[in-house]
Amino acid sequence: MHSDKYFFQKFPIGSVITLLVGIFLFLVNLSFVEQIKYLREYNYLVHFAKNSIAFVLIVYSIPFILMYFIKFPNKKKFEMNLEEVKKNFLDNIKSKDGKLIADFVSFRPWMNQEFYVKSVKGIPKIFIPIYLVSFTIKNDILYIIEAEVSINSKDYRISGYYLVHLSNIVSANLSQDRIFFPSLMGDAVAKVNFIEIIHSSGTIKIPIFEEELLSNYGNISPLREEYSLKVMTLLKYLNKELL
């Protein structure tokens, strides 16, 4: 089974160039070698070396090109799989008879050593690692559930589960922090927006939206607008319940 990062593999330009060089060597005519006095007796060796190098270059490059097309990173498949996982996640949440008041798709690059982002029409739309977050209310209790998503296998696993009685909530706010973390691409920093639930026993901080890294890959304004609308709706609902 492929990992989610296969959606981010790049076209193997280097392998294509290597293949073209190999084909060129196979086709190039070195008959002029016979006209050179000092190379004439080595004509066979020159042709053998040329063809051997061409063969190695072609054999070396073809597997990389074939593997790209076998594992073609189809963005539509990524988006369809994500929508299916999100639907399954929310259907499971709704089956508990609670009232869903907000849900988010959260990019959390600090959770893995590897993170990837792709832009679709200039907007970062494809990224991993992905987490789903839901806020539901049932019997005057706020439930917050987080799930790590595997896009390729269309699956998720619960990674965070919080519940707090509404009467124990002191405030619900939006906060922002910067997270420094190591990755295979080097040291990185993410500017993250959190939903912060302060209650009588402590504080729950749920990362919702990453800005700094995503903005490096395209225009995040549409994503920010969608996120802001959901946050405003969530906070308005929670603060109304606290009155």
Side-chain angles (χ1 to χ4, degrees):
M1 181 67 70
H2 305 310
S3 68
D4 284 349
K5 68 181 181 180
Y6 101 93
F7 286 104
F8 300 84
Q9 66 176 335
K10 297 179 180 178
F11 185 77
I13 297 177
S15 296
V16 172
I17 294 174
T18 301
L19 176 64
L20 293 176
V21 171
I23 293 174
F24 172 78
L25 285 178
F26 253 134
L27 298 178
V28 70
N29 188 348
L30 297 183
S31 58
F32 66 89
V33 173
E34 297 180 2
Q35 310 302 320
I36 301 175
K37 178 179 179 181
Y38 298 104
L39 294 179
R40 191 174 302 156
E41 59 182 295
Y42 301 106
N43 181 49
Y44 172 77
L45 289 177
V46 171
H47 280 79
F48 177 80
K50 172 187 79 80
N51 291 336
S52 296
I53 293 173
F55 178 79
V56 170
L57 292 177
I58 292 173
V59 169
Y60 176 79
S61 60
I62 284 179
F64 293 98
I65 297 173
L66 289 178
M67 288 305 294
Y68 173 82
F69 288 103
I70 291 173
K71 302 190 300 181
F72 184 75
N74 190 316
K75 68 180 182 62
K76 287 187 177 180
K77 180 183 177 183
F78 183 97
E79 294 170 349
M80 289 172 60
N81 284 9
L82 176 56
E83 284 303 313
E84 183 173 338
V85 176
K86 183 180 176 182
K87 181 180 182 302
N88 292 339
F89 173 73
L90 293 179
D91 285 348
N92 184 48
I93 297 298
K94 293 173 184 176
S95 69
K96 312 297 185 193
D97 296 327
K99 180 177 181 180
L100 178 68
I101 55 176
D103 67 273
F104 298 88
V105 176
S106 175
F107 171 48
R108 302 181 182 181
W110 61 92
M111 297 299 290
N112 286 351
Q113 281 196 311
E114 296 178 282
F115 64 88
Y116 298 89
V117 183
K118 263 187 182 180
S119 292
V120 178
K121 298 180 180 179
I123 301 173
K125 284 292 186 70
I126 302 176
F127 41 79
I128 59 171
I130 283 181
Y131 286 74
L132 300 177
V133 185
S134 69
F135 293 79
T136 58
I137 290 180
K138 181 180 179 182
N139 298 328
D140 293 327
I141 297 176
L142 173 65
Y143 292 84
I144 306 171
I145 300 176
E146 301 173 287
E148 182 182 5
V149 178
S150 173
I151 301 296
N152 192 63
S153 61
K154 297 189 288 188
D155 197 9
Y156 67 87
R157 69 172 186 86
I158 302 300
S159 58
Y161 188 91
Y162 310 89
L163 59 91
V164 56
H165 201 284
L166 291 177
S167 62
N168 293 333
I169 297 177
V170 177
S171 66
N173 306 290
L174 180 65
S175 64
Q176 189 177 83
D177 202 357
R178 300 186 82 199
I179 298 176
F180 296 86
F181 62 98
S183 74
L184 294 183
M185 304 173 195
D187 292 338
V189 57
K191 185 165 68 174
V192 186
N193 295 330
F194 295 84
I195 293 292
E196 190 172 52
I197 309 292
I198 300 174
H199 56 93
S200 56
S201 300
T203 300
I204 300 172
K205 289 182 68 174
I206 306 296
I208 297 298
F209 185 66
E210 195 288 325
E211 293 192 14
E212 192 159 348
L213 288 175
L214 288 180
S215 64
N216 293 331
Y217 293 89
N219 176 23
I220 66 170
S221 295
L223 296 177
R224 187 190 287 117
E225 290 175 6
E226 178 183 351
Y227 145 81
S228 298
L229 181 61
K230 286 187 175 183
V231 168
M232 289 173 58
T233 302
L234 173 61
L235 293 181
K236 183 178 179 180
Y237 187 94
L238 288 178
N239 286 310
K240 181 181 178 181
E241 291 291 325
L242 301 180
L243 294 178

